[in-house]
Amino acid sequence: MQKTPDDIIIFLLVTTSIILVMAGFVITIVLLYRKKQISYQKDIDHIKAEYEKAILNTQLEIQEQTFKNISKEIHDNIGMSLTLAKLNLNTLTPDRGEQTVKKIDSSVELISKAINDLTDISKSLNADFIKEYGLINALEQEISKLKSTGLYGIHFEIDGETTFMNSQKELIIFRIVQEALNNILKHAQANRINIRLSYHSNGIYLDISDNGIGFPKDRTGETTGKKKGSGLINMKSRALMLGGTWNIETAAHGTIIKLTVPY
Amino acid sequence: MNHDALERLIKESRQFLFTDFFVIACQLLAIVVIVRCRRRDKMVYYFLSYCCAGFLLFLSGRIRFALYTGKESTTRYLETGNVIFALIEYAVFYYYFKTVLRAKLIKAFMLIAMIVLVAVSSLFLFSVFFSNATGSRIMQLSDLIISPELIFLGILCLCYYLELLRKRPSTNLSTSPSFWIVTGLFFYTLVIPPFFLIISDDFEIQHRTVFDILAVLHYISFAFLFLAITKAILCRKPLTT
C-alpha cells in the first residue's frame, strides 16, 4: 500500500511543525538569554560605575588631604621661616654702605613676594577656603592670582541667581577650573581667558575658553581614541562623578571647556 | 566498486536528495577542522573520535549497501554499525554533558542510561552474531536501542538549555561552543528519532516516499550536528564553554 499525496502532505506538515517548534524553542532560549545578558551587563556596568566613583572619591579625598598637609606645611614652616628671614633682614644694621642696604631691601622685597605667593598657593590648596568663602570667592582669588602676572586678560562673568552647592561639589568644580587654567598656562599660549559661570534652575553651567593655539584632536581622545592626558581624564571623571557633563572643543583659534553640574 | 553498485548507490542517494553525500562532506569538514585546530584538549579528541567513527561507519554502510543490497548480512552489518555508533555517540556525549551540566541528579541518570545502553547493546550484538534473528527483527531491535538513546540525549539538551537560562549570562552564545554543539545535537536527536519508535517494521516497504522524507530530514539534521561541531571548534574556546 502506497501513501496518498494527502498523507505525504500531512506528514510533511507534521515534521515541518516539529522543526519549527524546535527552532522556535531555540530562538526563545537565545532571546531570553540575551535579555538576561543585557540586564546582567547593566548590573555589571552599574557596579563598575559605583566602584569607579568610590575609587575616584577616595583619590580625591587623599588628594585633598595631601593638599591640606602641603598647605599647612607651607603656612606653618616655610612661611614662618621666610617671615623670620624677613624680620632678620629688617632688623639688620647695615654698616657696609649703600649697596648693602639696596641688596637687603631687594631681598626683603623678594621674601615678601615669596610669602605672598606661598600664602596664595596655600589658600588654593586648602579646601577649607572654599568651605568658608564659597566657589565664587575661590575662583575670584584664583583669577586675581593669574591677573597679577600681567600675562593674561581674564574675563570672569557670573549669570543667574547664585545658588550655594554643598562644599564637596564646589571643591570638585574648583579643582576642575584649576586644572583647566593650569592647562591654559602650560599649553595654550593664550593671552585671553573667559570664564562664565551660569546658575540655572537645574544646575550650573561653566564655560572656560581661551584664544590659544588649541591642540591636536587626538589629545582629547574623542576622535582618534588615543590616550587622553591625565588632566583631561581627571576633569571628565570628576564631572561625571558629580552627575554632570564635561565637553571640550578645540580649534586653531582656541579651546573651550563646557561643564554642567546638577545641584 | 562495480558499475551496478555505483548505479545503485547513486539511485539510492537520489532518493535521499543526495543528503547522504552531504552528511559525508560535513563529517569530513568537521574532521579536517578538528585536525587543523591542533588543540590538545581531551574533549576535542573525543569529538574527533566521534566524527571519525561517524564517517567510517556511515561511508562503509553506504558502500556495503550499494554492493550487497537486499542481503540479510548487509542488514546485520548496517544495524551492528548503527548500534556501535550509538554506543560511541552516547559515550562521547556522556562525557561532554558530564562536564557541561551541573545537576547531580541528571548526571546520575546519565550514568544509569550508560549502563543500560551498554547492557542492551551487548545483548543486541550477541543476538546478531549468535542467534537466528531475521533482518527485520534486527532492524526493529536496533531502532529500540538507538531511538531511546537519541531521545535521552535530546532530553539532556533540554536540561542544558534550562541550566543556560539559570546560570550567569556571561558568555556570548554565538561564540559559545557548548551552545552550538548542544543545538546541533538537539535537532539531530529530536526531529526524527521519535518517528522511528512509532513506525511499524514494514514501514519502509509500505510507505517508501514518507520513509525517504524521514531519511532526508534525518540526514540533514545529522549533517547539521557536524556543522555545529565544526562551528564549535572554530569558536577557539574550550568545547565545554
Side-chain angles (χ1 to χ4, degrees):
Chain A
M1 189 187 88
Q2 279 294 316
K3 280 264 170 190
T4 63
D6 280 353
D7 290 339
I8 293 169
I9 289 168
I10 289 167
F11 173 75
L12 275 175
L13 280 175
V14 170
T15 46
T16 310
S17 309
I18 290 172
I19 293 169
L20 285 177
V21 166
M22 288 176 72
F25 174 77
V26 173
I27 290 167
T28 310
I29 294 283
V30 171
L31 290 177
L32 286 173
Y33 185 85
R34 185 84 195 112
K35 197 177 161 191
K36 207 177 158 191
Q37 203 174 24
I38 290 167
S39 138
Y40 174 73
Q41 196 55 47
K42 267 186 193 166
D43 289 349
I44 292 283
D45 288 347
H46 179 72
I47 292 166
K48 215 172 158 184
E50 286 292 315
Y51 176 73
E52 275 171 9
K53 209 171 165 181
I55 292 276
L56 191 66
N57 215 2
T58 312
Q59 276 176 346
L60 288 176
E61 275 172 17
I62 292 167
Q63 192 187 44
E64 287 310 322
Q65 193 55 48
T66 313
F67 282 169
K68 202 171 180 176
N69 290 343
I70 294 169
S71 166
K72 198 166 173 281
E73 201 65 25
I74 289 170
H75 183 264
D76 296 352
N77 294 333
I78 305 172
M80 184 62 78
S81 303
L82 286 173
T83 309
L84 279 175
K86 188 180 159 185
L87 199 68
N88 283 342
L89 286 173
N90 276 334
T91 54
L92 203 69
T93 318
D95 52 2
R96 289 191 184 176
E98 203 178 321
Q99 207 178 355
T100 314
V101 174
K102 266 187 181 173
K103 276 186 179 174
I104 290 169
D105 286 346
S106 167
S107 301
V108 168
E109 214 172 284
L110 285 171
I111 289 172
S112 298
K113 193 178 176 303
I115 290 170
N116 286 337
D117 288 350
L118 282 173
T119 309
D120 286 346
I121 292 169
S122 171
K123 275 182 184 171
S124 70
L125 288 176
N126 198 339
D128 293 342
F129 183 80
I130 290 168
K131 282 178 193 163
E132 216 168 310
Y133 298 102
L135 175 67
I136 294 174
N137 283 328
L139 287 176
E140 276 171 349
Q141 203 209 317
E142 203 70 12
I143 287 160
S144 70
K145 216 166 73 185
L146 276 180
K147 272 183 179 168
S148 68
T149 62
L151 296 170
Y152 302 96
I154 302 178
H155 179 69
F156 180 40
E157 191 186 336
I158 301 166
D159 279 349
E161 207 173 297
T162 308
T163 309
F164 292 111
M165 300 165 89
N166 80 48
S167 56
Q168 189 63 25
K169 265 191 180 176
E170 288 198 336
L171 176 63
I172 293 170
I173 295 167
F174 178 67
R175 293 290 180 227
I176 292 173
V177 176
Q178 271 187 320
E179 183 72 50
L181 292 175
N182 195 30
N183 281 346
I184 294 171
L185 300 190
K186 273 174 156 176
H187 310 291
Q189 296 174 27
N191 56 21
R192 280 211 61 79
I193 301 170
N194 292 314
I195 302 172
R196 186 177 170 167
L197 180 63
S198 311
Y199 287 91
H200 290 254
S201 56
N202 55 342
I204 66 157
Y205 290 57
L206 182 72
D207 295 349
I208 305 163
S209 59
D210 65 66
N211 65 342
I213 55 167
F215 52 87
K217 280 203 169 177
D218 61 337
R219 277 192 54 198
T220 65
E222 302 297 337
T223 47
T224 63
K226 285 186 183 172
K227 200 182 169 188
K228 285 184 191 180
S230 63
L232 297 179
I233 292 171
N234 280 344
M235 278 193 270
K236 190 171 184 176
S237 49
R238 281 172 176 171
L240 294 179
M241 201 183 85
L242 296 176
T245 61
W246 178 90
N247 188 32
I248 187 164
E249 288 164 20
T250 182
H253 55 270
T255 301
I256 179 162
I257 287 174
K258 291 180 177 181
L259 170 76
T260 63
V261 179
Y263 293 126
Chain B
M1 199 185 289
N2 60 36
H3 185 69
D4 285 349
L6 196 65
E7 222 168 57
R8 260 200 306 276
L9 183 67
I10 291 169
K11 193 184 164 196
E12 178 85 0
S13 291
R14 193 176 290 132
Q15 274 180 314
F16 298 143
L17 305 173
F18 297 102
T19 45
D20 48 349
F21 286 127
F22 181 55
V23 170
I24 293 169
C26 292
Q27 286 171 332
L28 266 177
L29 177 74
I31 292 168
V32 169
V33 170
I34 293 174
V35 171
R36 276 182 69 92
C37 89
R38 292 175 186 164
R39 213 184 294 159
R40 285 178 187 169
D41 179 357
K42 204 164 67 176
M43 206 56 84
V44 174
Y45 290 140
Y46 289 156
F47 276 99
L48 181 62
S49 318
Y50 175 68
C51 294
C52 288
F55 174 70
L56 292 174
L57 289 168
F58 194 81
L59 185 67
S60 65
R62 299 307 297 151
I63 293 169
R64 173 98 192 183
F65 185 81
L67 286 174
Y68 311 107
T69 187
K71 287 187 179 174
E72 187 88 2
S73 62
T74 305
T75 310
R76 282 173 189 271
Y77 178 86
L78 291 176
E79 296 311 323
T80 307
N82 285 344
V83 170
I84 290 170
F85 181 67
L87 269 175
I88 295 169
E89 185 172 68
Y90 189 82
V92 169
F93 284 105
Y94 168 77
Y95 282 109
Y96 187 67
F97 280 116
K98 211 175 134 186
T99 320
V100 170
L101 295 178
R102 275 183 285 182
K104 284 181 179 167
L105 188 68
I106 296 166
K107 287 182 183 180
F109 273 118
M110 279 162 56
L111 185 64
I112 293 166
M114 176 82 156
I115 294 164
V116 172
L117 183 70
V118 170
V120 292
S121 300
S122 308
L123 280 174
F124 171 82
L125 294 175
F126 181 81
S127 68
V128 167
F129 293 112
F130 302 106
S131 77
N132 296 323
T134 58
S136 63
R137 182 75 186 146
I138 287 169
M139 275 176 76
Q140 197 184 12
L141 283 173
S142 79
D143 279 349
L144 281 174
I145 294 168
I146 296 165
S147 297
E149 178 254 341
L150 290 175
I151 292 166
F152 185 72
L153 286 178
I155 293 166
L156 293 182
C157 294
L158 289 172
C159 295
Y160 167 84
Y161 287 131
L162 289 178
E163 281 196 1
L164 186 72
L165 290 181
R166 279 190 200 144
K167 72 178 183 184
R168 205 175 52 191
S170 52
T171 50
N172 187 354
L173 287 184
S174 64
T175 56
S176 163
S178 63
F179 176 75
W180 282 106
I181 290 174
V182 172
T183 303
L185 187 68
F186 180 62
F187 282 95
Y188 166 58
T189 54
L190 291 183
V191 173
I192 298 302
F195 284 101
F196 287 124
L197 268 185
I198 53 172
I199 58 178
S200 58
D201 302 346
D202 53 356
F203 186 85
E204 185 181 352
I205 303 150
Q206 286 192 343
H207 314 293
R208 184 70 209 186
T209 317
V210 177
F211 184 82
D212 287 349
I213 297 169
L214 267 177
V216 166
L217 291 174
H218 187 57
Y219 286 160
I220 290 173
S221 60
F222 195 33
F224 179 60
L225 171 62
F226 289 100
L227 288 178
I229 292 171
T230 308
K231 170 65 189 166
I233 295 287
L234 292 175
C235 288
R236 300 189 182 282
K237 284 180 188 173
L239 291 183
T240 48
T241 313

